[in-house]
Amino acid sequence: MGDTTNSPGAPLNTTPEPTDPTGTDDAAHAEGVERVLRAGLEDFELTAEDRAIIDGFQPEADEVAAGPLPVVAIVGRPNVGKSTFVNRVLRRREAVVEDTPGVTRDRVAYDAEWSGRRFTLLDTGGWEIGAQGIHLRVAEQAEVAIDMADVVVFVVDAVVGATDDDEAVVKLLRASGKPVVLVANKVDDQRFEPDAAALWNLGLGEPHPVSALHGRGSGDALDAVLDVLPEVSARGGAVPEGGPRRVALIGRPNVGKSSLLNKLAGEERVVVDNVAGTTRDPVDELVEVGGRQWRFVDTAGIRRRVHQTRGADFYASLRTQAALEKAEVAVVLIDTHEPITEQDLRIISQVVEAGRALVIGYNKWDLLDEERRFYLEREIERDLVQVTWAPRVNLSAQTGRHVDRLTPALDTALESWDRRVPTSRLNAVLGEIASSHPHPVRGGKQPRILFATQASTRPPRFVIFASGFIEAGYRRFLERRLREEFGFEGTPIEISVRVRERRGRRR
């Protein structure tokens, strides 16, 4: 990577001299390299944030997502204007609106913002008392929406007034204990104000007169929502410190997650059925495995795609995401009797994107014949090449075969997830890598790694300061080499690059 000296600002070249068996010379050499590179950074333009990271800065809580966005559910009986109100909040036409009751059959989630506050908005189908058939499923998913929400917006047709169905919704809302903002919709002008005032009788507090169609009063209703909206959703949050390690069991429906939890617990704690999707709610269980307590979360199976989910299954997937956000490590179960699917890959990506440690469990392994085992190995090599670092456990949730191997796999993944590499050692290793495999020259220039540090753990995050753009392919190469040197088995690692120019060279 260009010049091979260790003058300030020069590329890393830190191949160690022969050392004594104790490794003392190695450590001293690495510390010397770090001092030289730190001094060399003074020749480059650094921001205050750069210096904080170099000095071992840990991001403040408000600079790192503390948890999932708060959830606002829009509920009400059919044809009261819920989807119209959603479009008004989003300031664009997203939800399907038609002057026919029950157009919205399934839940829909949107990213929304008001007065600088971001939240997730859930539009639901109409809730009807005594609903049958498809209307019953619509009612079910509205009920689950209330359970999932941090704040509920209850939309009532002010012109029609409160009906028996509305009264039933009120009972449901009171039982939930969630904050409720009552929206009296279809108040298009002052003539309908008295109709809105009559809704005080519902006992949910002040009715906010709104015309979702024209926008009248919608801002005041949203301000009322913000008054009771938490900063993060109560359904998930930052990983708690201390206590039993948290393990999320996730995977497609009917891959054996509940059976595995029951086998680990040594008793029937979760309903198991061959019908996919039996589990709707995550079930937190303290389980003693390997002589220690773990907190397992048995999660609902994730359907093929969010927009293809039906009724409560969508909210089951939300619960799964919330469980993953609260977990430290995820066990992704894969059914070995079926080809690895796009769903499996998406679930694994979900774990990696959430920054959680990962163990992959291949269930029903004891029932595989030689032919299926051969093709499964080919599928793993082809489809899971990006997560070769994840520990693999071949097990049977039904018989308990090899489930004891989960404990060492979880320990390995969590140890890697928590691992911190000394800055001196990190720069020494990157120096060796850069010397033997320098970044390719692009446009007559060769980016140089100036300095590197580990900014945080859980998962390990590395920041590299460089003199030019480092290509994605070379970043992947650096990740592979860091894994070879430091392990990191079972955890994603993140590498970000900050390109900095020499002082006085900015054009």
Side-chain angles (χ1 to χ4, degrees):
M1 290 178 50
D3 185 13
T4 58
T5 66
N6 276 330
S7 58
L12 292 173
N13 179 25
T14 59
T15 304
E17 299 294 330
T19 61
D20 64 11
T22 66
T24 304
D25 289 348
D26 274 343
H29 174 70
E31 291 171 1
V33 169
E34 180 185 352
R35 285 194 297 271
V36 170
L37 294 177
R38 281 182 183 271
L41 285 174
E42 296 303 317
D43 292 342
F44 290 80
E45 296 183 351
L46 302 177
T47 66
E49 186 181 3
D50 291 341
R51 295 187 182 279
I53 291 174
I54 292 167
D55 292 337
F57 171 73
Q58 289 285 357
E60 296 295 333
D62 60 352
E63 296 180 18
V64 178
L69 292 176
V71 178
V72 178
I74 311 296
V75 301
R77 61 183 178 80
N79 209 31
V80 294
K82 296 185 299 297
S83 294
T84 303
F85 182 74
V86 167
N87 287 336
R88 180 60 57 185
V89 175
L90 298 175
R91 294 186 284 274
R92 61 186 185 274
R93 187 179 177 86
E94 286 274 7
V96 176
V97 177
E98 185 176 314
D99 193 24
T100 302
V103 168
T104 304
R105 298 296 189 193
D106 307 313
R107 80 300 150 279
V108 186
Y110 303 102
D111 290 328
E113 180 270 335
W114 180 255
S115 295
R117 294 278 305 279
R118 295 175 57 232
F119 52 91
T120 297
L121 195 65
L122 298 184
D123 184 17
T124 66
W127 193 98
E128 288 185 287
I129 189 170
Q132 299 294 324
I134 188 171
H135 297 295
L136 175 60
R137 292 195 292 275
V138 168
E140 285 177 347
Q141 56 98 4
E143 291 182 44
V144 180
I146 293 172
D147 182 50
M148 284 303 303
D150 296 289
V151 177
V152 178
V153 173
F154 179 32
V155 182
V156 178
D157 186 331
V159 177
V160 173
T163 67
D164 290 343
D165 286 349
D166 291 320
E167 294 285 356
V169 176
V170 169
K171 292 180 181 178
L172 190 65
L173 292 171
R174 285 176 177 162
S176 74
K178 301 293 179 66
V180 178
V181 174
L182 177 59
V183 168
N185 194 26
K186 304 186 182 180
V187 182
D188 296 337
D189 55 49
Q190 291 182 345
R191 292 176 299 167
F192 301 101
E193 294 282 355
D195 296 331
L199 296 178
W200 275 98
N201 293 332
L202 289 174
L204 294 176
E206 178 185 0
H208 297 272
V210 166
S211 173
L213 185 61
H214 303 295
R216 183 176 186 266
S218 59
D220 293 337
L222 287 171
D223 288 340
V225 170
L226 295 189
D227 287 342
V228 292
L229 191 69
E231 290 296 326
V232 297
S233 176
R235 312 302 298 192
V239 177
E241 296 285 347
R245 307 306 293 260
R246 296 184 62 90
V247 185
L249 292 176
I250 63 176
R252 292 186 291 120
N254 211 31
V255 294
K257 299 182 296 297
S258 297
S259 296
L260 177 57
L261 181 58
N262 286 335
K263 185 59 63 174
L264 290 168
E267 59 182 301
E268 295 293 317
R269 298 201 190 181
V270 184
V271 175
V272 177
D273 196 287
N274 287 331
V275 177
T278 301
T279 303
R280 293 295 193 197
D281 301 316
V283 182
D284 282 26
E285 292 285 355
L286 284 173
V287 178
E288 185 170 318
V289 182
R292 306 199 317 273
Q293 275 201 331
W294 303 77
R295 184 174 294 279
F296 277 81
V297 180
D298 180 51
T299 55
I302 301 174
R303 294 293 186 185
R304 181 178 298 276
R305 293 192 184 280
V306 168
H307 72 267
Q308 291 177 347
T309 60
R310 292 295 180 265
D313 285 328
F314 172 81
Y315 297 98
S317 71
L318 286 185
R319 286 188 168 98
T320 296
Q321 182 63 32
L324 185 57
E325 287 166 343
K326 291 189 294 183
E328 297 172 282
V329 58
V331 176
V332 177
L333 278 189
I334 291 178
D335 187 339
T336 57
H337 278 234
E338 300 177 10
I340 294 176
T341 67
E342 181 186 346
Q343 301 171 60
D344 295 316
L345 302 180
R346 182 171 54 83
I347 292 166
I348 290 173
S349 295
Q350 190 177 4
V351 177
V352 174
E353 290 166 5
R356 299 301 183 253
L358 170 65
V359 173
I360 301 178
Y362 293 90
N363 193 22
K364 308 177 186 177
W365 188 266
D366 55 327
L367 301 179
L368 288 185
D369 57 32
E370 289 299 322
E371 181 181 9
R372 175 60 193 143
R373 188 170 299 185
F374 172 82
Y375 284 110
L376 176 62
E377 295 293 348
R378 304 290 81 75
E379 291 166 17
I380 293 172
E381 291 176 5
R382 180 189 68 230
D383 298 332
L384 301 183
V385 65
Q386 299 300 326
V387 288
T388 54
W389 44 263
R392 165 180 169 177
V393 180
N394 303 329
L395 53 84
S396 169
Q398 190 68 38
T399 66
R401 182 172 183 260
H402 291 166
V403 295
D404 58 319
R405 296 183 180 180
L406 271 179
T407 302
L410 291 170
D411 282 335
T412 296
L414 287 167
E415 181 183 351
S416 296
W417 196 59
D418 287 323
R419 182 169 300 146
R420 179 176 292 279
V421 177
T423 303
S424 57
R425 180 63 182 145
L426 175 64
N427 282 281
V429 167
L430 286 176
E432 297 169 10
I433 295 172
S435 296
S436 58
H437 294 88
H439 191 289
V441 176
R442 294 289 184 264
K445 297 182 179 180
Q446 188 176 49
R448 296 181 288 114
I449 297 176
L450 307 171
F451 188 79
T453 186
Q454 184 174 349
S456 62
T457 60
R458 301 183 149 207
R461 294 181 174 92
F462 297 94
V463 178
I464 294 177
F465 294 87
S467 63
F469 177 74
I470 294 182
E471 297 174 351
Y474 195 74
R475 294 190 197 194
R476 290 193 294 271
F477 165 70
L478 292 177
E479 177 183 339
R480 289 196 302 272
R481 293 299 303 273
L482 288 176
R483 289 188 182 280
E484 291 172 6
E485 185 68 30
F486 300 112
F488 293 121
E489 183 182 1
T491 181
I493 63 176
E494 300 176 9
I495 298 177
S496 62
V497 177
R498 294 182 173 229
V499 177
R500 296 297 178 258
E501 297 182 356
R502 282 188 179 274
R503 297 183 186 279
R505 289 192 179 182
R506 187 178 297 277
R507 295 182 179 178

